[in-house]
């Protein structure tokens, strides 16, 4: 191992990592063969679902891939992290679901990157599950809004749909609108609790509403290398789900937790942090899996 130079300091190392994140080599990540729409879902709260959706989107955007985040959680946390307006009355995913505005009219550009777009969630979305019950084609309202023509109008390579921590109509809409499901799983006790129910619901949607739906990606989050439990959970998930699990794991990192309170992704807040670098690595894996020249993996 080459010893560090006399100019090396921890701050210098972090600055170098930050420069690599913010100024990546051009064309480092391949564009997908086809536009990819991924639903980020897990009905268990606190697993890093929204955090993963916005930071993966940001990492792809920094590498030149135009990316859209659809905030389908009434809490609006993805909108907060991307620092887009989501006050009541703002054109949002709620109006998109009702058919009152087009996808393009609800899209906002995040100040963190011109390649990073968001359809925000306002507090109005809280009552959408009840309103959808009475609507025609209630399970496919988002799919209709995300038609090929609508997405072509804004010209994105990736769409990430951030779901609420439940298996209600909003999550069903997200699954009907997507071809892929990305499941974040935290490396902690009870990590797999409720996962069977989620997979059962995905199977039901696949059978009755969206035959092309599949679990393409599992991302391990909140990994703490100091504990045996984290390694045990990681080994168990990899043993059960195989190549669907990304090689990259997201560490438990205070910068990842702090970033949303500043209206930022961790890549904008502290690009040299371990959390930011890990999300960049995970995004690279996802991009490579979506390319003919990349290392395609299976699905569940």
């Amino acid at each position: 191992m080459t010893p560090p130079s006399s100019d090396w300091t921890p701050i210098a190392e972090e600055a170098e990592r930050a420069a690599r994140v913010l100024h990546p080599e051009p064309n480092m990540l391949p564009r997908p063969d086809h536009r990819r729409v991924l639903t980020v879902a897990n009905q268990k709260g606190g697993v890093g679902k929204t955090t993963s959706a916005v930071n993966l989107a940001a990492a792809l955007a920094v590498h030149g891939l135009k990316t859209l985040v659809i905030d389908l959680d009434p809490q609006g946390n993805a909108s907060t992290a991307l620092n887009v307006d989501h006050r009541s009355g703002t054109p949002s995913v709620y109006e998109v679901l009702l058919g009152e505005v087009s996808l393009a009219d609800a899209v906002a550009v995040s100040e963190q990157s011109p390649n990073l777009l968001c359809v925000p969630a306002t507090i109005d979305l809280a009552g959408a599950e009840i309103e959808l019950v009475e609507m025609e084609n209630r399970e496919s309202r988002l799919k209709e809004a995300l038609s090929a023509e609508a997405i072509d109008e804004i010209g994105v390579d990736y769409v990430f749909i951030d779901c609420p921590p439940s298996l209600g109509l909003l999550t069903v809409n997200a699954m009907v609108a997507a071809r892929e499901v990305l499941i974040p799983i935290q490396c902690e006790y009870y990590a797999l609790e409720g996962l069977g129910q989620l997979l059962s619901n995905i199977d039901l949607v696949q059978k009755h509403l969206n035959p092309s739906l599949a679990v393409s990606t599992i991302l391990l989050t909140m990994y703490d290398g100091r504990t045996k439990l984290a390694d045990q959970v990681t080994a168990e998930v990899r043993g059960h789900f195989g190549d669907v699990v990304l090689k990259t794991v997201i560490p438990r990192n205070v910068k990842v937790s702090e970033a949303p309170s500043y209206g930022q992704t961790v890549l904008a807040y502290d690009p040299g942090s371990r959390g930011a670098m890990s999300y960049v690595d995970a995004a690279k894996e996802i991009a490579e899996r979506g390319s003919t020249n990349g290392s395609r993996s299976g699905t569940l």
Side-chain angles (χ1 to χ4, degrees):
M1 178 178 173
T2 304
S5 71
S6 58
D7 296 330
W8 181 90
T9 65
I11 294 175
E13 182 182 25
E14 184 159 331
E16 183 184 347
R17 292 201 303 266
R20 290 202 305 270
V21 170
L22 294 175
H23 305 288
E25 296 175 22
N27 304 318
M28 184 182 293
L29 295 186
R31 293 188 67 183
D33 299 335
H34 306 284
R35 182 184 296 114
R36 296 179 67 185
V37 181
L38 298 94
T39 286
V40 185
N42 193 329
Q43 82 272 23
K44 193 173 188 302
V47 301
K49 177 178 54 59
T50 297
T51 300
S52 295
V54 297
N55 284 302
L56 289 171
L60 292 167
V62 164
H63 286 81
L65 297 169
K66 200 165 183 182
T67 309
L68 170 66
V69 176
I70 296 179
D71 190 351
L72 208 59
D73 187 344
Q75 297 178 78
N77 291 336
S79 307
T80 298
L82 297 175
N83 199 25
V84 298
D85 188 4
H86 58 109
R87 292 169 295 182
S88 183
T90 303
S92 69
V93 72
Y94 173 74
E95 287 81 13
V96 170
L97 288 170
L98 295 185
E100 295 177 357
V101 302
S102 68
L103 185 69
D105 289 337
V107 165
V109 181
S110 172
E111 63 183 18
Q112 298 173 44
S113 169
N115 290 323
L116 186 54
L117 311 178
C118 177
V119 176
T122 64
I123 192 62
D124 300 322
L125 189 61
E129 297 242 18
I130 298 171
E131 294 181 59
L132 285 171
V133 170
E134 302 296 328
M135 290 186 179
E136 188 177 351
N137 301 322
R138 60 186 183 183
E139 299 94 351
S140 56
R141 304 289 296 189
L142 186 61
K143 179 182 179 181
E144 292 169 7
L146 290 178
S147 65
E149 295 77 17
I151 302 181
D152 284 343
E153 188 176 349
I154 55 176
V156 295
D157 301 299
Y158 282 86
V159 178
F160 289 89
I161 307 173
D162 183 39
C163 296
S166 68
L167 296 175
L169 263 176
L170 289 176
T171 299
V172 171
N173 262 269
M175 290 182 182
V176 172
R179 297 191 64 177
E180 303 180 49
V181 180
L182 186 157
I183 304 175
I185 299 177
Q186 82 279 35
C187 300
E188 295 181 355
Y189 196 57
Y190 294 135
L192 303 182
E193 186 180 58
L195 188 58
Q197 183 61 49
L198 174 61
L199 294 174
S200 295
N201 279 40
I202 292 170
D203 187 53
L204 284 171
V205 171
Q206 183 186 51
K207 287 179 178 176
H208 299 289
L209 298 167
N210 183 5
S212 62
L213 185 68
V215 177
S216 66
T217 311
I218 291 176
L219 176 64
L220 292 163
T221 63
M222 303 180 187
Y223 176 82
D224 187 344
R226 299 170 298 178
T227 66
K228 288 185 178 179
L229 177 62
D231 287 332
Q232 290 170 354
V233 172
T234 299
E236 185 175 350
V237 172
R238 292 194 190 285
H240 190 76
F241 295 107
D243 290 341
V244 171
V245 186
L246 294 183
K247 294 183 177 67
T248 302
V249 297
I250 307 301
R252 184 173 287 281
N253 181 254
V254 67
K255 300 298 183 182
V256 173
S257 303
E258 288 175 354
S261 64
Y262 292 89
Q264 294 180 321
T265 64
V266 71
L267 276 80
Y269 178 66
D270 191 344
S273 65
R274 290 174 61 237
M277 296 297 293
S278 297
Y279 272 115
V280 169
D281 290 341
K284 288 178 182 176
E285 279 194 68
I286 289 171
E288 287 166 359
R289 290 181 178 203
S291 167
T292 301
N293 298 321
S295 52
R296 284 187 179 275
S297 295
T299 57
L300 295 182

